[in-house]
Amino acid sequence: IIMNGRQSIFQREELVLTSELFIHRFVNVLIHVALVQLVGVVAQLLFATTAAGENTTNNQRQQRLQRYTQYVAQIFFALHPTHVEAVANVANRPHLLALLFNVTIVDPNIPFLAVGVLGAAGLLSAETGIFQYPAIVLMMTAIQYRRELALSMEEGENVQEDELSPSQEENAESEEQSSSPPSSL
C-alpha cells in the first residue's frame, strides 16, 4: 500500500525482514561452502594415494582417481536434500556450526589444543555435536591407519632397494667390470 508516494509501515517491515532473512541464509550458504571444502579435504586424507615421488602412469591414475573421489564426495555432500534443507532453514545454523567445528577436528595435523577448542565450540554450538564424535574418532583412526600403512610401504620399498641379494651383487660387480675400460700395462 502506497499512500501519497510513501511506503506503508507494513511494507517497510516486510522489506527489512526479507533483507535480514537473505543475510542469514547467505551466511548459512557460506558455512555450507566451507563444509563442502572440508569434506573434500577429509576425502582426500582418507583416500590418499600410497605411491609417492615418481610420475608413473599408475601414480597419475591414482591421483586422478583420488581427485574424482574428492569431487564426488563434495558434490554428494553439497546437494544432498538433508543438507539443502538445513542450509535454507535459518534455525539450523547451530547444527551447521557444530558440524563445521567437528569436521575441522578430523585433520591429524591439527594441534591438540585446537582439537579441544574446536570440540568445545562444536558442543556449545548445538547439542547434536556430541553425536558426531563417534564418526570423528572413526575417521581420525582410519586416516591415521592409512598414513601408517603408506609409511610402512615406503619404508619397505626403501629397504628392498638398499638390500641386494648376493646374486644381484655379483651381477652388479660383473657389469661394473665389463663397463670399465681395460687398464693399460
Side-chain angles (χ1 to χ4, degrees), residues 118-184:
L118 289 169
L123 285 174
L124 292 173
S125 295
E127 67 280 355
T128 57
I130 198 160
F131 297 110
Q132 298 165 359
Y133 286 120
I136 290 169
V137 170
L138 182 66
M139 292 299 289
M140 290 173 78
T141 305
I143 290 170
Q144 192 62 31
Y145 175 76
R146 291 275 301 184
R147 282 188 173 188
E148 290 176 6
L149 182 66
L151 285 175
S152 66
M153 289 177 68
E154 287 177 10
E155 288 175 0
E157 290 174 2
N158 292 339
V159 169
Q160 287 177 356
E161 290 173 0
D162 293 341
E163 296 177 356
L164 294 175
S165 68
S167 62
Q168 290 174 335
E169 288 179 6
E170 291 173 3
N171 289 340
E173 288 175 4
S174 65
E175 287 177 12
E176 287 177 9
Q177 290 174 356
S178 65
S179 64
S180 63
S183 60
S184 58

Side-chain angles (χ1 to χ4, degrees), residues 53 62 83 90 115-116 132 163 178:
Q62 284 180 344
H83 299 143
V90 177
V115 169
Q132 298 165 359
E163 296 177 356
S178 65

